[in-house]
Amino acid sequence: MKHTIAVLVENKPGVLARVSGLFARRGFNIHSLAVGTTESPNVSRMTIVVDLPERPLEHVTKQVYKLINVLKVIELEAGSSVERELMLIKIRAVAEVRARIIELADVFRGKVIDVGTDSMTIEITGSPEKIQAFEDLVAVYGIIELVKSGRVALGRGSKSIKDRQLRVAG
Amino acid sequence: MTMSEVTGAKALFLALEAVGVEHIFGIPGGAILPAYDPLIDSTVKHILCRHEQGAAHAADGYAQASGKVGVCMATSGPGATNLITGLASSFMDSIPVVAITGQVPRPAMGYDAFQESDITGIAGPVTKHTFLVMEPDDIAQTIAEAFHIAGTGRPGPVLVDIPKDVLQAKFEYKPAGPVDLPGYQPTTKPNQRQIVEAAKLMASATRPVLYAGGGIIKAGASEELVKLAEMTGIPVVTTLMARGVIPDSHELCLGMPGMHGNYTAVTALQRSDLLIGIGPRFDDRVTGKLASFAPDAKIIHADIDPAEISKNRKADVPIVGDAKAVLTELIKVIESRRGKDPVPDYSAWLETVTGWRNAYPYRYTQTQDGPLKPQYVVERIAALTEGNAIYCSGVGQHQMWGSQFIPFRRPRTWINSGGSGAMGFGVPAAMGAKVAMPDDEVWCIDGDGCFQMTCQELATMAVEKIPIKIAILNNAFLGMVRQWQELFYSERYSEVEFGWDIPDYVKLAEAYGCIGLRVESMDEVDAAIEKARGVNDRPVVIDFRCDKGEMCYPMVAAGSSNDDIILGPEFERDEPVEHEQGDHLYGDDEEHGN
């Protein structure tokens, strides 16, 4: 089962390696990991999607929380959080098919951000399912390459991650 | 250079002195060289080891014996990587150690410089935390933080890596301020509601067992444990890391459970209806096949590390907190609920347990003319030292015999590499223990395989006059591996025979400036032990030439249920033990460790 967890970490060298190394050696399978700065300059935030077929999520959150540079770990459950992913996708697009690709991009609220003589690059933002759907639709034209940001997520409502309780023993 | 301007190296020693360091085990080398100059003027005493692995194990033994943070120091590259086995052992056993390593100068880092290694990266998975100090200004604060992290919460090793030019830089020294680690706030005070839940379960149980783990030793909570056991009448099993938290002579102490634990301790866990785990890990060597471990038991699990709780076995009552605080609160709550809760009656249970204890003790046979039995040697050492020494061991059969046959009287007197199982741990750990506790007699119960991995520290101890006693239970084999080959590989012995004679342990001891003795028969044992006890200016090595084929029993084979405990040939002439068949529904998860 896939879970989305948000991890606040001190913005120090090596922290990403500590977190990702922990996942690897404990046998937790990372599906995606996105990291960036936050409203506080000393704090970074990671959004990690972890695939746990057999183990309770607590095994992960408790181990991650033990890392000295980790300030907070919470699970963002699908119903009570918003999740987005960004994809840049370069599609084979000779003149005859461009209009159709643009039409598709419009339906998905995507943006054309680069056009070459026989290619187009589209930026799509949305839920992972939406992004997958777009990818499937344009596959017929030929995908030259694509990149995804990994999922980022925030809890719904006015609360910050800092206001939420950490999961502890249980 | 102004008055208060110092080098980074000097700052390092000012910081080490400020946190109260008295001893460092280490070896100098290129990148750490600047630190060895201010060492000369420091109050910190350095013990010059012969191998960095020895330094790391010595720091571990020092910490286990004293409860203080052990310190080791090494140079960059191979010096630092040689520490890793020791740090990994400290990590698995939650032993507070700080390792200080030199690193190549900052401008050289990342260029594959001579003796460069990414030691913070390498050590990360086997330490509680690592620091790379990139500014001399940060040295004092980092040392303060490293000692705080190592010694508090669930203790563990911390590595501090300092580039050579940071040690050489001159700067205005400022002592460390208060430690402020926003991401590190261990929970020590248990939740009161959970304590009450635990007390209720204890009152309604009929077959409870206190499952005492190493956390009790770290918390200094032996007295509280004994008090809880006595006030409730609940019997106690002590894991390998908790031997001595309750005296083995105590009527409620059932001794060690686990793969080579005694029948009573293993079976009491299996048959219990309530396990009260205080600071244990539910380690696979204790649980056997997890799916069939203590099938009827509810679980109370108290640990200072929330990640340990429900990691292996789901806890019905999880308690996060320091073992001393947990036990103190539990005692208080049980006292306050007297009259409210039903008075539990464990007498039938204790009768059952006592029956097992009488029927299935550890057993071996030493005959006058037969080969010397390693168990006999351990028993005699324990008897002649009256259980008052500090006993260290390596890893293998001798370790298990040590744990089985020494009647421990107090905590911090059984020092070994439990979780990691690092062979070669014994000799250097005993050195560390003796440095920490110079007034205690220190014995290392070792195997011939383990001894040969780290025996170069004999030189350290001869020079530094650290008079430990080493009993090599020399069975000429990697005994535990041989035992597995006998049992699980159809007696096809592969690469396990060392031979009795090479090296000549007596000559080897003498070459290192130690005293060497050899014992080949039962009636020489006591005299050799007494002779060793009389030597106080250098180590003594006794080569006990033991039965080559002796097996360590009881045994729960890896991946087997505790129900399938093998008592061994000593019991074959008796009635077979009655126990239900283990649960084999979960597939074979046998592993290849030993």
Side-chain angles (χ1 to χ4, degrees):
Chain A
M1 172 167 182
K2 288 201 182 92
H3 301 271
T4 304
I5 59 173
V7 184
L8 288 188
V9 299
E10 291 183 273
N11 186 5
K12 288 187 170 173
V15 174
L16 176 60
R18 289 181 204 269
V19 174
S20 58
L22 173 82
F23 275 75
R25 71 176 173 269
R26 294 261 172 204
F28 307 140
N29 188 17
I30 295 182
H31 184 72
S32 79
L33 189 159
V35 57
T37 53
T38 64
E39 69 280 6
S40 333
N42 302 329
V43 176
S44 296
R45 178 167 174 146
M46 297 178 182
T47 307
I48 304 171
V49 180
V50 58
D51 195 2
L52 294 172
E54 275 155 15
R55 300 162 81 170
L57 180 66
E58 256 132 21
H59 283 199
V60 178
T61 52
K62 287 171 172 178
Q63 291 293 349
V64 172
Y65 188 62
K66 271 165 72 172
L67 294 172
I68 306 291
N69 302 126
V70 169
L71 303 170
K72 190 116 194 182
V73 187
I74 60 157
E75 182 184 11
L76 293 170
E77 277 149 301
S80 54
S81 62
V82 285
E83 300 187 332
R84 289 292 180 271
E85 196 167 298
L86 180 141
M87 172 172 73
L88 303 181
I89 183 165
K90 191 182 290 176
I91 305 158
R92 219 170 279 293
V94 289
E96 301 84 75
V97 299
R98 270 187 205 155
R100 259 180 287 166
I101 293 173
I102 291 169
E103 211 172 283
L104 280 175
D106 281 344
V107 173
F108 280 79
R109 298 183 196 207
K111 272 191 283 186
V112 177
I113 54 172
D114 186 54
V115 180
T117 51
D118 55 358
S119 77
M120 288 173 82
T121 300
I122 311 251
E123 170 195 321
I124 292 271
T125 311
S127 69
E129 295 76 23
K130 172 182 159 188
I131 287 185
Q132 189 60 50
F134 184 77
E135 186 185 329
D136 293 345
L137 275 174
V138 297
V140 290
Y141 303 107
I143 296 167
I144 299 167
E145 63 175 337
L146 68 80
V147 61
K148 291 175 186 174
S149 64
R151 202 177 301 182
V152 294
L154 284 179
R156 290 183 186 274
S158 58
K159 278 191 173 168
S160 149
I161 178 173
K162 290 174 195 156
D163 306 323
R164 291 186 47 180
Q165 268 298 311
L166 173 82
R167 300 162 157 266
V168 270
Chain B
M1 195 159 153
T2 65
M3 285 298 286
S4 59
E5 214 170 57
V6 297
T7 62
K10 179 71 182 173
L12 170 64
F13 275 90
L14 291 172
L16 291 171
E17 287 166 13
V19 293
V21 173
E22 294 166 69
H23 296 95
I24 293 181
F25 300 91
I27 309 183
I32 194 71
L33 250 183
Y36 275 79
D37 184 74
L39 168 66
I40 296 172
D41 307 315
S42 170
T43 57
V44 177
K45 167 136 176 63
H46 181 271
I47 288 119
L48 174 59
C49 298
R50 297 302 187 267
H51 191 296
E52 289 87 355
Q53 183 186 349
H57 288 325
D60 185 304
Y62 183 95
Q64 287 203 47
S66 66
K68 294 188 268 192
V69 178
V71 188
C72 55
M73 190 153 83
T75 194
S76 64
T81 57
N82 275 346
L83 294 175
I84 293 297
T85 302
L87 295 177
S89 180
S90 303
F91 184 58
M92 289 291 270
D93 291 342
S94 310
I95 308 302
V97 166
V98 168
I100 296 158
T101 52
Q103 180 55 275
V104 300
R106 284 171 292 181
M109 286 173 70
Y111 289 87
D112 305 316
F114 176 65
Q115 290 194 332
E116 178 179 6
S117 68
D118 169 20
I119 198 62
T120 50
I122 293 167
V126 295
T127 52
K128 190 170 171 185
H129 195 57
T130 58
F131 290 99
L132 172 60
V133 186
M134 289 298 273
E135 296 299 332
D137 274 332
D138 295 335
I139 290 174
Q141 191 64 32
T142 304
I143 291 295
E145 289 174 2
F147 278 75
H148 177 71
I149 292 169
T152 58
R154 177 180 184 172
V158 176
L159 183 133
V160 181
D161 195 29
I162 315 178
K164 185 173 188 178
D165 61 323
V166 173
L167 290 170
Q168 288 166 322
K170 293 193 173 83
F171 71 110
E172 202 82 25
Y173 177 74
K174 271 204 311 282
V179 170
D180 175 29
L181 297 164
Y184 178 68
Q185 278 141 0
T187 305
T188 53
K189 215 173 151 282
N191 178 312
Q192 199 63 22
R193 199 164 41 89
Q194 300 295 77
I195 296 282
V196 172
E197 286 305 310
K200 283 188 194 164
L201 274 187
M202 286 164 74
S204 61
T206 56
R207 303 188 306 279
V209 176
L210 275 159
Y211 168 19
I216 296 173
I217 292 189
K218 273 88 179 177
S222 295
E223 269 180 45
E224 288 79 1
L225 176 81
V226 174
K227 184 167 180 197
L228 178 66
E230 287 176 349
M231 72 186 280
T232 57
I234 298 176
V236 185
V237 300
T238 56
T239 67
L240 182 71
M241 297 311 296
R243 304 287 289 124
V245 294
I246 178 170
D248 278 305
S249 58
H250 197 290
E251 58 172 358
L252 288 169
C253 182
L254 308 183
M256 180 173 76
M259 184 175 267
H260 295 288
N262 69 73
Y263 179 87
T264 308
V266 171
T267 309
L269 288 179
Q270 280 308 93
R271 297 285 164 269
S272 74
D273 66 348
L274 177 65
L275 291 188
I276 306 135
I278 310 287
R281 294 194 291 126
F282 289 75
D283 180 61
D284 59 77
R285 299 286 114 148
V286 168
T287 62
K289 182 189 284 219
L290 195 57
S292 61
F293 173 64
D296 305 330
K298 287 204 156 56
I299 307 288
I300 298 167
H301 189 177
D303 203 286
I304 197 157
D305 179 1
E308 280 306 328
I309 294 169
S310 297
K311 182 183 77 177
N312 293 336
R313 171 73 179 258
K314 176 102 178 107
D316 299 285
V317 180
I319 306 174
V320 181
D322 170 81
K324 196 180 185 94
V326 169
L327 288 166
T328 305
E329 288 305 310
L330 206 44
I331 289 166
K332 253 194 252 170
V333 167
I334 290 170
E335 272 168 356
S336 74
R337 294 181 65 84
R338 288 232 160 112
K340 258 190 254 175
D341 286 329
V343 180
D345 179 11
Y346 308 139
S347 58
W349 173 232
L350 287 173
E351 206 173 298
T352 306
V353 167
T354 306
W356 292 332
R357 186 148 57 174
N358 294 336
Y360 308 110
Y362 294 120
R363 201 182 271 181
Y364 70 96
T365 306
Q366 173 72 63
T367 57
Q368 189 65 39
D369 307 322
L372 184 57
K373 294 290 180 176
Q375 300 96 322
Y376 177 76
V377 174
V378 174
E379 277 203 313
R380 292 314 300 157
I381 291 171
L384 293 170
T385 55
E386 297 176 353
N388 278 322
I390 292 173
Y391 308 89
C392 303
S393 84
V395 170
Q397 287 180 319
H398 66 277
Q399 174 192 26
M400 293 297 108
W401 287 319
S403 193
Q404 290 177 345
F405 287 95
I406 299 168
F408 294 98
R409 302 172 66 142
R410 58 196 168 102
R412 299 198 180 282
T413 56
W414 176 236
I415 294 172
N416 63 133
S417 172
S420 180
M423 283 181 67
F425 178 85
V427 169
M431 170 169 79
K434 183 67 181 170
V435 170
M437 312 299 281
D439 298 332
D440 281 89
E441 186 173 330
V442 176
W443 277 84
C444 173
I445 312 286
D446 219 352
D448 45 317
C450 282
F451 178 80
Q452 290 186 68
M453 289 190 178
T454 48
C455 62
Q456 66 274 33
E457 300 310 331
L458 289 178
T460 310
M461 290 184 278
V463 170
E464 300 274 350
K465 302 201 187 321
I466 302 169
I468 67 162
K469 334 289 176 201
I470 299 163
I472 304 174
L473 307 182
N474 179 4
N475 62 359
F477 276 89
L478 291 166
M480 190 62 94
V481 184
R482 198 202 59 81
Q483 175 162 341
W484 282 51
Q485 290 179 348
E486 179 170 335
L487 294 174
F488 310 123
Y489 292 86
S490 318
E491 300 179 45
R492 283 163 55 84
Y493 299 112
S494 177
E495 305 300 321
V496 284
E497 183 160 15
F498 276 20
W500 263 348
D501 302 316
I502 297 176
D504 181 325
Y505 295 99
V506 173
K507 281 188 186 159
L508 183 135
E510 286 166 357
Y512 275 122
C514 304
I515 290 171
L517 305 169
R518 177 164 297 127
V519 171
E520 292 175 282
S521 68
M522 176 191 166
D523 44 18
E524 301 163 1
V525 170
D526 281 19
I529 293 169
E530 287 300 3
K531 187 164 182 198
R533 298 189 71 208
V535 176
N536 280 309
D537 60 346
R538 73 193 80 178
V540 180
V541 177
I542 313 176
D543 174 19
F544 288 101
R545 295 204 162 175
C546 296
D547 188 342
K548 292 180 178 178
E550 188 64 18
M551 304 276 278
C552 184
Y553 287 112
M555 181 171 191
V556 178
S560 299
S561 164
N562 280 344
D563 292 324
D564 299 328
I565 184 168
I566 306 162
L567 286 169
E570 291 284 337
F571 287 86
E572 274 168 13
R573 54 183 176 269
D574 296 351
E575 290 292 300
V577 183
E578 270 194 39
H579 52 67
E580 294 148 39
Q581 272 300 299
D583 183 353
H584 293 286
L585 292 174
Y586 294 85
D588 186 8
D589 59 334
E590 186 189 335
E591 59 215 78
H592 298 284
N594 55 75

